[in-house]
Amino acid sequence: MGFDKSEEREITFLVRSMITTLNEKNPEGYIQTLSDHFIKVTYGDKEFIRRNIQDFGHIDLLEFEVILLKTYTSTVYYKLIHTSKNGVKTNFYGEMILVKSKEGWQIYYVSEEVE
């Protein structure tokens, strides 16, 4: 699509890191991939993630594509399967909005549609 390939690689790496750290139950690594806004809106605070990451289930990324890339924002399309702690699988898809700060790219917002 003509995007800056190094920025696109950074964004792809971030999303894959977010999924890996969640699946490995690594709260500090997971927190680093998320913006403070996303943490506050989704979880309330970082302590919630630290206390509860063991219950977050497992994610398998099926599809991923950067669809918009600007200097400080990016939008990506994703499709994934979430497996809950008790083995229930749910397919989700939607968009993620990422923001770039001095720390690098972070996830700012995730829309979720159930398939």
Side-chain angles (χ1 to χ4, degrees), residues 1-9 11-12 65-71 73-77:
M1 283 190 132
F3 295 137
D4 179 320
K5 291 298 179 191
S6 65
E7 292 286 342
E8 191 172 4
R9 279 191 297 274
I11 291 165
T12 301
E65 179 183 1
V66 176
I67 55 176
L68 178 68
L69 180 56
K70 295 186 176 182
T71 305
T73 61
S74 177
T75 304
V76 302
Y77 167 82

Side-chain angles (χ1 to χ4, degrees), residues 16 33 37 42 62 85 93 104:
R16 292 189 186 283
T33 67
H37 170 80
T42 306
L62 301 177
K85 212 173 139 180
Y93 67 93

Side-chain angles (χ1 to χ4, degrees), residues 22 26-28 30-31 34 38-57:
L22 188 140
N26 173 352
E28 299 311 315
Y30 182 60
I31 288 167
L34 309 174
F38 183 83
I39 292 168
K40 183 175 182 175
V41 169
T42 306
Y43 300 111
D45 59 26
K46 294 175 184 176
E47 283 307 310
F48 180 88
I49 296 170
R50 291 179 182 114
R51 285 190 314 270
N52 296 288
I53 197 164
Q54 295 301 322
D55 299 326
F56 287 4

